């Protein structure tokens, strides 16, 4: 157990299996008091003991946008220290939430490109919801790489966002299969794909999120394409 600061108790309102072993958790503060955050930020979620003390905490990006009522997290259950305990929680159970944290703070800029691997797409879901809700004009491109078609997170929502909002382009690439019914990109995100959908690559602010190795690779591709490093933000784990 460790000392806590600003820990707000949240109750899980719903759990939805999103893809494979990744679940979407919607939760509300028990006191009714919500915290303010900027799209793209993350929180620490704490698993609590029976006295409400924290047993373990991990960082999770916020999938909801500030205008939404629930706090939404999207978590891949990998059998680790926190996720093996989270697996046993259900609707009505309580967790501790601490935050917000992080330098991923979307400030309504009008040309932004987001590059995600796996659950790295989560902060960009919140950002795209915010862009769509607030009718922010500009050019927004999400590059999202995932292993297989059945592991795509928020697939229907991303298709709807792209169909309804002409400012948003979604480029999904599959790295481990090429199904016959798939007409999107395949293979790892590389310089050709990044250039193909942005062209004026240096005009964009770039946000990269996902496994550490992937974000370093993408940064290198962007540097080769001439993007200034001060236009690149990165958040990685694993
Ligand atoms: C800023 C930030 C935001 C994050 N946002 C999310 C998010 O939105 N959704 C999410 O599911 N996770 C997210 N993570 C990862 C999360 O914090 C935990 O690392 C993850 O849930 C594993 O915790 P654990 O205690 O179960 O595993 P642990 O016991 O801590 O670790 C088990 C091992 O799994 C590795 N690992 C961590 N994440 C993954 C993964 N996704 N797939 C495979 N191996 C992994 C770890 O490096 C470690 O080696 C984020 C991390 C950071 C730093």
């Amino acid at each position: 157990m460790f000392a806590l600061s600003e820990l707000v108790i949240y109750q899980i309102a719903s759990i939805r299996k999103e893809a494979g072993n990744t679940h979407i958790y919607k939760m509300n503060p028990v006191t009714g008091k919500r915290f303010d955050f900027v799209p793209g930020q993350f929180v620490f979620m704490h698993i609590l003991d029976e006295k409400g003390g924290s047993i373990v905490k991990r960082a999770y990006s916020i999938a909801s946008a500030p205008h939404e009522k629930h706090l939404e997290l999207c978590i891949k259950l990998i059998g680790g220290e926190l996720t093996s305990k989270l697996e046993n929680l259900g609707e009505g159970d309580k967790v501790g939430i601490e935050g917000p944290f992080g330098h991923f703070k979307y400030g309504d800029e009008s040309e932004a490109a987001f590059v995600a691997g796996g659950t790295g797409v989560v902060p960009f879901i919140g950002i795209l919801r915010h862009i769509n809700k607030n009718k922010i004009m500009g050019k927004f491109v999400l590059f999202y790489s995932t292993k297989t078609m059945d592991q795509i997170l928020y697939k229907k929502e991303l298709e709807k966002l792209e169909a309804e909002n002409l400012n948003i382009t979604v480029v999904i690439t599959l790295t481990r299969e090429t199904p016959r019914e798939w007409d999107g990109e395949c293979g790892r995100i590389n310089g050709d794909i990044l250039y193909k959908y942005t062209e004026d690559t240096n005009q964009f602010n770039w946000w990269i999120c996902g496994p550490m190795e992937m974000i370093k690779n993408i940064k290198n591709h962007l540097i080769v394409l001439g993007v200034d490093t001060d236009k690149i933000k990165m958040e990685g784990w694993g």
Side-chain angles (χ1 to χ4, degrees), residues 22-23 40-44 56-63 73-86 101-102 118-123 147 153 209 211-212 235-238:
T22 305
H23 294 68
Q41 288 194 287
F42 69 87
V43 291
F44 281 108
V56 55
K57 69 169 179 176
R58 293 286 184 270
Y60 294 101
S61 303
I62 305 172
L73 306 179
C74 176
I75 302 178
K76 186 172 180 182
L77 302 176
I78 59 164
E81 208 183 329
L82 185 140
T83 52
S84 61
K85 293 183 171 62
L86 181 62
F101 298 101
T119 49
V121 75
V122 178
K147 288 178 186 155
L153 304 173
C209 189
M212 211 53 96
E235 197 163 77
W237 59 84

Side-chain angles (χ1 to χ4, degrees), residues 23 39 45 49-50 61 94 108 132 148 153 167 181-182 185 235 238:
H23 294 68
M45 184 169 83
D49 62 21
E50 47 306 333
S61 303
K94 292 181 182 120
D108 294 356
N132 196 46
T148 57
L153 304 173
N167 299 293
E181 66 273 30
W182 180 250
E185 298 284 350
E235 197 163 77

Side-chain angles (χ1 to χ4, degrees), residues 18-22 118 121 144-159 171-187:
E18 174 63 3
N21 50 357
T22 305
V121 75
Y144 172 24
S145 128
T146 190
K147 288 178 186 155
T148 57
M149 210 161 92
D150 60 8
Q151 287 185 31
I152 301 171
L153 304 173
Y154 294 97
K155 186 167 184 284
K156 283 201 180 119
E157 180 171 348
L158 289 172
E159 284 168 356
V171 182
I172 300 179
T173 174
L174 305 180
T175 58
R176 293 274 173 89
E177 63 173 17
T178 312
R180 205 175 291 162
E181 66 273 30
W182 180 250
D183 60 359
E185 298 284 350
C186 285

Side-chain angles (χ1 to χ4, degrees), residues 17 61 66 71 76 80 105 135 194 201 210 212 215-216 222:
K17 182 176 160 145
S61 303
L71 174 69
K76 186 172 180 182
K105 289 181 175 179
K135 299 188 170 51
L194 295 170
T201 319
M212 211 53 96
I215 64 169
K216 284 187 203 151
L222 291 175

